[in-house]
Amino acid sequence: MDFRQRFEEAQKEAKELFQQAKDAVHKLVNSNKLQIATKEFKELIDGIKNKISAVKMPELVLPSLFLFPLKSTFTKENFIALRSKLIESVKRYLRIAEQKTNAFLTTKLHIKCANGTAYKFWGALGGVAVCIFALTMFLMRPTVEKVQEMKAAGDLQGLNKVVRELKDTWLYDDVRMSAIKALVEVNTCESDIVLNRIISDYKYAKGGFANDDKKDMALLEEIKQIRKDDMLEAIKKDSLYVNKKLAAYIDYAGEQKTYNGECDAYYNLQETFKDLDYELEVKNAIAANTVREIKVTNEIPDEEDAKTRLEYVRKLFEYSTKDDTSPYKALVNLYFDKAKEVEKLGNRDGEIDRIIDDNLNEKIQIENFFRTSDDYYRNQMRQIYLQKGINAALEYQSNITKTYTEKIDRYYEIDRENNQLRAEQANLPQKLKELKNSKRRICLAIRARGSKDIEKIRESASEQGAANTSRRDEYGKAKHIYSTENKNINNKADIKTGEYQWKGFSIKYPIVNLSNVNAQDKINDDIYARVKRFLDHLKEFPDYDPAKDASGRGAGMWYKVTYEDDKYLSIRLVRWFEGIDEHHALVYDKRTGNLVPLSNFINITVERLNTDIQLGEAFLVDNGGSQFQFDKDVEKVSKDYLLLGNGILALQYYNFELGQGWRNVSFVIVGAGTYDENLGKYISDVIWPRS
């Protein structure tokens, strides 16, 4: 039986005895022995006061307890000894109280008890019992040492209980804070979740005015600050801490059996890093892991699963301005833009049918107009002539003629409009197919990117990843490694340089020598024809003075072999005069000497090219190989291209076509993957002469 229950039973028994005392008072009042009773009562009052004072709190002296520093110096052994001693003391004092109570309440003289003496006695006894109960609970609370034992054992629920139960007790601040720090230092997804749930219990107290609300708010801020400080300290000590944490949550999310459980893991990841400056990194990791789990069968993504996951990613990047730099935000928006286009195009077929039906009905109305209106208008004109004269009749005839002309024009316009609509409708299936393919490719590209980014996180969070940093650049990206020369060519072209001089300027061009003489001659004839056109153009300026050339560049021609293998030879030929450039991208078949069309290497629509640019699978570079952005769609697939080796194609555009001004050219690079500085340097080396 605990002390509180014992006290309540004693209090109940006292109330019963007190009622008996009141009854005895009534009897004594009517007794002839009242004088004798009054004298005896006075003696009894003095005795009771002495007995009550004997059980007041100062008499319950436990020197070893009160002189002992209770907050932090208890050991497990002396704690158990003190608790046993306290229990024995409580039992002893309860027995004393019970004896004194019985001695008092069983006395025959109960006069004046109704004036409050018994209440004072039981109040004193109650105070003693409450103090003893509070002290016992104090001694039974966990200590800092106990918290450390829980941390070592991984007892998350025990730590959770300590934080929650001690939230309103200022005496245990050090114990509560050590439990919070322990939850942070355990550093597992599960410990984060426990701490997040504790925080969530108090986050709605913000802005409260009641004392309890203010306490909750203070505790909330205290917990968040402790976690923030500990995590910042961990990040300082371990540069890979964030990636390790991300990798742990990725694994934890993968262990969940439901999609909702996976999302809950991501929620806790965000809450854990909420007060740190890693919001974008966290969201990108969540997005990457979400999209890489899109279900795919035979290279076809599951539409419903993809839509659900991509919708989650879109909501993830909904509010923060930092999110604008995330590739996942742009890619997901691109996917849904394509989805809208697919939906719009799917509705267009029915819309065209409706328009054609309306047009045919209008055409029938026009035919009916011509069929029925002749006699009517003839009679109308006759009546106007008889009533108003010839001029009014002629004016009416002019208006009718205009109406007839408009009807006839509209009749044939309907035919033209319907023909255009039917042609558009005939092309709809192909356009719809292309759009669906683009949407599918975007989805697969997002999924592939997610897989690559998650692998980067895993590698960087592992010891192996740290050991391989020498193979990565300062941003942690894998470097492109390219060979700028193909040495294994069985039929390598022997290329000499032909040269003309014009007013001190050099006109240099390639002369190709092959074992296949016919192909060789055909290639050289094509190149020389371009050189001759330039020379003929220069002859039109016999009075040209280089000193007066505003461009300061004069005239010239140079070439660069960008790629060669057993079958193909790719040459860049550039000429300029008075600031005007002309660029020739030439890819020859070494077997025939013919120029090779782009379709020999790749069949790509302008729709797909723009999608690849948006996905980062193709990119734009200037004449020096540096990447730049173009905020509009490319309007065509250029027929002029160069081979750069390593499976890379450079589609050549004049700068004005890509928003880069007028002089010189730029390129859309296809087949190289994601741009980085190493790749840009390789492209520059290939397309630009170094001598």
Side-chain angles (χ1 to χ4, degrees):
M1 182 180 298
D2 62 20
F3 302 135
R4 184 182 292 277
Q5 186 175 356
R6 183 70 174 270
F7 174 69
E8 288 174 352
E9 289 182 357
Q11 192 176 35
K12 182 179 179 182
E13 183 181 353
K15 287 180 180 179
E16 293 174 355
L17 293 171
F18 181 67
Q19 187 61 41
Q20 294 175 15
K22 286 175 68 178
D23 295 340
V25 168
H26 288 295
K27 291 179 182 179
L28 284 170
V29 168
N30 299 320
S31 171
N32 294 326
K33 299 179 180 180
L34 184 58
Q35 265 186 337
I36 299 171
T38 302
K39 182 180 178 182
E40 291 179 357
F41 176 73
K42 184 178 180 182
E43 294 174 356
L44 179 63
I45 289 295
D46 293 336
I48 289 173
K49 287 181 178 179
N50 292 332
K51 291 176 182 179
I52 289 175
S53 64
V55 295
K56 285 184 179 178
M57 191 64 194
E59 297 300 322
L60 291 176
V61 179
L62 299 174
S64 61
L65 255 62
F66 287 101
L67 296 177
F68 206 82
L70 297 174
K71 281 188 80 172
S72 60
T73 57
F74 273 134
T75 64
K76 186 174 182 181
E77 292 75 14
N78 64 28
F79 167 74
I80 294 172
L82 285 170
R83 186 173 62 179
S84 300
K85 186 175 180 181
L86 177 65
I87 291 171
E88 290 300 322
S89 299
V90 171
K91 288 180 179 178
R92 184 171 68 256
Y93 283 116
L94 283 174
R95 284 197 296 272
I96 293 171
E98 185 177 6
Q99 290 169 3
K100 292 181 178 183
T101 302
N102 290 336
F104 167 61
L105 292 174
T106 54
T107 304
K108 293 182 179 180
L109 300 175
H110 299 296
I111 304 171
K112 297 289 187 179
C113 285
N115 291 337
T117 305
Y119 290 118
K120 291 179 183 178
F121 171 77
W122 284 108
L125 184 61
V128 171
V130 168
C131 290
I132 293 171
F133 179 75
L135 190 59
T136 304
M137 295 303 293
F138 177 81
L139 291 172
M140 295 178 68
R141 290 293 187 187
T143 62
V144 173
E145 289 77 8
K146 184 64 176 178
V147 167
Q148 293 304 315
E149 290 178 11
M150 291 179 182
K151 174 186 170 184
D155 184 4
L156 301 180
Q157 294 308 315
L159 294 171
N160 177 28
K161 188 176 180 181
V162 170
V163 176
R164 291 177 183 277
E165 289 187 354
L166 302 185
K167 70 171 184 173
D168 297 322
T169 312
W170 62 269
L171 292 171
Y172 305 99
D173 281 350
D174 58 339
V175 180
R176 182 180 66 247
M177 290 175 68
S178 67
I180 294 168
K181 292 190 73 171
L183 283 169
V184 176
E185 291 166 0
V186 169
N187 195 29
T188 63
C189 300
E190 291 81 1
S191 65
D192 290 339
I193 291 169
V194 170
L195 204 53
N196 288 335
R197 286 173 181 165
I198 291 172
I199 291 172
S200 69
D201 287 344
Y202 303 106
K203 68 180 180 181
Y204 297 109
K206 283 189 174 182
F209 296 100
N211 288 332
D212 288 344
D213 289 342
K214 290 178 180 178
K215 288 179 182 178
D216 288 348
M217 185 171 66
L219 180 58
L220 169 65
E221 295 305 321
E222 177 187 50
I223 293 173
K224 290 169 69 176
Q225 190 61 44
I226 290 173
R227 175 157 72 177
K228 182 178 179 180
D229 292 343
D230 275 60
M231 290 184 71
L232 287 174
E233 188 64 29
I235 291 169
K236 286 181 183 177
K237 292 179 181 178
D238 184 0
S239 61
L240 300 178
Y241 175 86
V242 175
N243 278 359
K244 287 178 180 178
K245 199 76 170 175
L246 294 176
Y249 268 97
I250 288 163
D251 291 337
Y252 180 76
E255 293 169 2
Q256 306 308 305
K257 295 181 180 180
T258 64
Y259 179 65
N260 288 336
E262 186 180 328
C263 292
D264 187 58
Y266 299 146
Y267 166 79
N268 278 286
L269 173 57
Q270 290 183 82
E271 288 296 305
T272 301
F273 280 90
K274 194 170 187 178
D275 297 321
L276 301 176
D277 192 25
Y278 290 94
E279 181 182 0
L280 189 57
E281 290 85 348
V282 168
K283 287 185 176 181
N284 279 337
I286 292 172
N289 200 47
T290 301
V291 299
R292 79 174 183 132
E293 298 296 336
I294 293 173
K295 297 175 184 175
V296 175
T297 306
N298 297 326
E299 292 303 311
I300 304 297
D302 184 309
E303 284 284 342
E304 287 302 316
D305 185 59
K307 184 178 178 182
T308 300
R309 290 179 177 276
L310 294 175
E311 279 283 6
Y312 177 81
V313 173
R314 184 158 67 171
K315 289 179 181 177
L316 193 66
F317 295 109
E318 204 164 12
Y319 300 110
S320 173
T321 54
K322 288 183 180 180
D323 299 342
D324 292 335
T325 61
S326 171
Y328 290 99
K329 183 174 183 178
L331 293 174
V332 169
N333 286 340
L334 178 62
Y335 174 86
F336 283 106
D337 287 345
K338 293 296 179 186
K340 284 182 181 178
E341 290 182 41
V342 169
E343 184 179 2
K344 184 178 179 181
L345 207 59
N347 295 333
R348 180 61 178 164
D349 187 62
E351 185 181 353
I352 288 175
D353 285 337
R354 181 182 57 76
I355 294 172
I356 289 175
D357 287 343
D358 291 344
N359 285 346
L360 291 176
N361 289 332
E362 186 181 357
K363 194 173 178 183
I364 291 170
Q365 291 174 6
I366 292 172
E367 290 172 352
N368 291 335
F369 171 81
F370 284 117
R371 189 178 297 113
T372 61
S373 62
D374 282 352
D375 293 338
Y376 172 79
Y377 286 122
R378 192 177 294 111
N379 292 332
Q380 285 291 104
M381 191 164 61
R382 185 181 296 111
Q383 292 296 325
I384 292 171
Y385 172 74
L386 293 173
Q387 294 174 8
K388 298 182 179 181
I390 185 65
N391 290 333
L394 289 173
E395 184 180 353
Y396 180 75
Q397 184 182 26
S398 175
N399 292 335
I400 294 302
T401 301
K402 183 179 179 181
T403 301
Y404 269 69
T405 302
E406 290 174 352
K407 294 288 186 183
I408 291 170
D409 289 344
R410 178 57 187 156
Y411 187 86
Y412 289 108
E413 184 183 348
I414 287 172
D415 285 338
R416 288 192 298 271
E417 187 177 320
N418 282 353
N419 288 336
Q420 290 174 355
L421 288 169
R422 289 190 181 99
E424 181 187 348
Q425 193 173 38
N427 291 328
L428 281 181
Q430 182 60 31
K431 285 186 177 180
L432 192 60
K433 183 179 178 181
E434 288 180 7
L435 276 175
K436 286 182 177 179
N437 284 337
S438 292
K439 182 183 167 187
R440 180 175 65 86
R441 288 185 60 256
I442 292 168
C443 184
L444 293 174
I446 294 173
R447 183 176 184 267
R449 184 181 187 114
S451 296
K452 290 177 183 177
D453 285 352
I454 293 302
E455 287 308 309
K456 287 180 183 178
I457 291 173
R458 290 190 188 284
E459 288 176 14
S460 64
S462 66
E463 293 182 0
Q464 183 179 4
N468 290 338
T469 53
S470 60
R471 292 168 54 188
R472 297 176 174 272
D473 64 15
E474 60 180 328
Y475 302 106
K477 298 175 183 176
K479 290 187 175 181
H480 293 274
I481 301 174
Y482 295 106
S483 171
T484 57
E485 184 180 357
N486 186 351
K487 297 181 179 179
N488 301 316
I489 301 175
N490 295 325
N491 182 27
K492 189 172 179 63
D494 181 16
I495 299 177
K496 308 294 184 181
T497 299
E499 184 173 2
Y500 288 99
Q501 290 292 324
W502 183 77
K503 295 184 181 294
F505 298 110
S506 295
I507 313 299
K508 295 181 179 181
Y509 61 94
I511 300 173
V512 179
N513 296 292
L514 294 171
S515 58
N516 184 335
V517 178
N518 291 331
Q520 166 190 294
D521 292 344
K522 203 167 185 179
I523 292 172
N524 286 328
D525 288 347
D526 182 72
I527 293 173
Y528 186 73
R530 300 170 193 272
V531 176
K532 188 175 185 304
R533 282 197 300 273
F534 183 44
L535 293 173
D536 291 343
H537 177 67
L538 293 176
K539 288 177 183 179
E540 297 175 7
F541 300 89
D543 299 328
Y544 171 78
D545 184 357
K548 297 180 181 180
D549 187 348
S551 71
R553 298 177 64 227
M557 177 180 281
W558 58 261
Y559 73 92
K560 177 72 183 290
V561 176
T562 64
Y563 178 74
E564 182 184 3
D565 61 20
D566 291 340
K567 297 179 181 179
Y568 304 108
L569 178 64
S570 176
I571 299 173
R572 185 184 186 198
L573 186 67
V574 180
R575 46 161 275 194
W576 69 93
F577 178 58
E578 289 191 322
I580 300 175
D581 297 61
E582 188 173 306
H583 298 255
H584 301 271
L586 310 171
V587 179
Y588 294 105
D589 188 329
K590 290 165 66 174
R591 296 164 298 181
T592 63
N594 295 330
L595 286 169
V596 183
L598 177 65
S599 58
N600 189 75
F601 298 100
I602 185 172
N603 284 309
I604 188 169
T605 63
V606 68
E607 167 72 28
R608 177 168 177 178
L609 180 61
N610 282 305
T611 299
D612 285 350
I613 292 171
Q614 291 166 326
L615 289 172
E617 295 181 356
F619 53 86
L620 285 67
V621 297
D622 61 21
N623 197 39
S626 298
Q627 187 184 26
F628 68 91
Q629 303 296 327
F630 186 42
D631 58 0
K632 298 179 181 178
D633 284 348
V634 175
E635 295 182 356
K636 67 176 183 179
V637 178
S638 177
K639 295 180 181 179
D640 299 323
Y641 72 99
L642 294 167
L643 302 179
L644 305 187
N646 299 286
I648 302 173
L649 298 176
L651 307 184
Q652 179 179 282
Y653 294 83
Y654 281 96
N655 274 344
F656 68 87
E657 297 178 289
L658 299 178
Q660 287 288 95
W662 289 90
R663 181 174 163 267
N664 239 313
V665 295
S666 297
F667 300 91
V668 175
I669 304 300
V670 179
T674 306
Y675 178 88
D676 65 21
E677 291 182 3
N678 192 46
L679 175 56
K681 184 178 183 301
Y682 168 77
I683 293 170
S684 178
D685 290 341
V686 171
I687 64 177
W688 195 259
R690 296 301 172 191
S691 61

